[in-house]
Amino acid sequence: MKQPEEWSRYAERILATGARPHFAPEPETVEVHARVIADLGAAVGTAPSVLVLGATPELADLALDLGCPTLRMDCNPAMFDAAAKREKRSDRRGERTVVGDWLDMPGIANGAIDLVLGDASLNNVAHAQMPRLFEQLRRITHAGSVLSLRQVALPADVSHRHGLARTVQRLRAGEIEPHTFSRLLRYAAFVDEVYDREQHLLDAARVFDCIDAAHRAGMLSADEHAFMNSRRSQIQHTVYSRAEQRAWFERVGTTRIERAGPARDHEYLTDVWVTHCT
């Protein structure tokens, strides 16, 4: 599920356009992580050591700005190349970047990490590998460490709340912006048709097949279809129900959900899951 070729294509697209990728964390999400860092720093009396799961420069910049020694890890070097243009902080002496696998982190000592940050990071780990990932997270953290991870986790009635017809209607009425429209089509509108409940897998290739079919059936306009095509991918994501996602996090500690920005009916796309390790 690492899909290096697909992520490399994503990285090439980012480098070619110079545009901020649509999957980058929003400022509201970064603000939640900032509060978590501040609270943890106050509790331990010093800037916490941070592991960023992925190349995400917004999270690395935040940690460095707050004085945290920061390790950034991604298995695909192309993602670091793509992230470099989005880095806001020029002084990166407090940072170390590593091309590595989150399932095996021998370079990180037991209990060495105070805070783990990530943006949909765990959505990119196969369900079968999730136990191994949580073994590693437990090993490298300690009692009092915190995980602060934005995750896509589906509410039980997601397809009813965000079916295709209703989502298109809301876009055309101006109730949601195009960015949210694209996320709802990617993670909600076609769950009943494409979601593999055994593997907890939401496959973008199958989603975009449904989007193409909806366009052919006249349910999406040419402009709406072109917009979605601009975000076309074949990325596979592991997506759990909210109850299942909580159960994974509670393997390492007590968990709460922080909403990024104002409450809305699609907040599960931007929720930050904060786990205090025990």
Side-chain angles (χ1 to χ4, degrees):
M1 181 143 162
K2 292 176 185 174
Q3 300 182 278
E5 292 182 358
E6 186 64 21
W7 282 110
S8 292
R9 280 193 287 270
Y10 251 62
E12 290 170 4
R13 190 184 310 171
I14 295 167
L15 287 168
T17 63
R20 181 179 185 272
H22 65 270
F23 53 80
E26 296 85 353
E28 295 86 354
T29 301
V30 176
E31 288 175 9
V32 172
H33 295 305
R35 292 198 299 270
V36 171
I37 294 174
D39 290 345
L40 181 58
V44 301
T46 188
S49 60
V50 171
L51 168 65
V52 179
L53 296 177
T56 315
E58 293 84 357
L59 301 187
D61 283 347
L62 170 67
L64 291 171
D65 285 344
L66 295 177
C68 302
T70 302
L71 171 63
R72 205 166 19 149
M73 181 178 291
D74 197 290
C75 65
N76 193 330
M79 296 307 294
F80 285 114
D81 294 337
K85 288 189 175 182
R86 293 180 8 242
E87 293 170 356
K88 302 295 186 184
R89 185 182 176 89
S90 57
D91 182 358
R92 312 197 72 81
R93 286 174 292 180
E95 176 186 71
R96 183 163 62 98
T97 60
V98 174
V99 177
D101 190 336
W102 306 334
L103 303 179
D104 184 18
M105 299 185 277
I108 303 179
N110 293 355
I113 299 298
D114 299 319
L115 175 64
V116 180
L117 298 177
D119 195 70
S121 305
L122 274 57
N123 291 121
N124 294 301
V125 176
H127 171 62
Q129 296 174 324
M130 207 64 70
R132 175 61 178 166
L133 173 63
F134 273 87
E135 288 176 6
Q136 284 294 294
L137 291 177
R138 176 172 284 281
R139 181 187 68 77
I140 65 173
T141 57
H142 54 84
S145 294
V146 177
L147 314 180
S148 186
L149 303 168
R150 182 173 74 90
Q151 285 296 109
V152 177
L154 302 177
D157 58 348
V158 62
S159 57
H160 173 73
R161 291 166 63 182
H162 303 297
L164 175 63
R166 181 169 184 264
T167 302
V168 171
Q169 180 184 40
R170 294 179 68 202
L171 173 72
R172 294 174 182 176
E175 295 178 13
I176 56 175
E177 76 283 1
H179 179 58
T180 296
F181 172 74
S182 72
R183 284 189 168 183
L184 290 176
L185 260 60
R186 172 67 179 90
Y187 292 105
F190 304 105
V191 164
D192 289 343
E193 293 95 329
V194 308
Y195 184 54
D196 183 333
R197 297 186 182 279
E198 182 176 343
Q199 298 299 321
H200 305 274
L201 190 67
L202 198 52
D203 187 335
R206 296 186 65 193
V207 170
F208 278 96
D209 285 344
C210 292
I211 290 170
D212 293 342
H215 174 54
R216 291 193 298 270
M219 298 183 71
L220 290 176
S221 71
D223 286 345
E224 290 159 355
H225 187 239
F227 174 71
M228 291 306 302
N229 261 332
S230 71
R231 300 185 171 200
R232 183 177 290 267
S233 80
Q234 299 185 58
I235 297 293
Q236 297 176 340
H237 282 122
T238 300
V239 183
Y240 295 110
S241 71
R242 290 166 75 86
E244 290 166 335
Q245 186 66 79
R246 181 178 291 278
W248 279 110
F249 283 127
E250 290 188 343
R251 289 186 174 207
V252 297
T254 58
T255 299
R256 72 179 190 273
I257 295 175
E258 291 278 351
R259 288 183 175 175
R264 47 187 177 262
D265 63 353
H266 52 273
E267 71 278 348
Y268 66 92
L269 295 172
T270 54
D271 280 342
V272 177
W273 295 68
V274 181
T275 300
H276 290 262
C277 301
T278 55

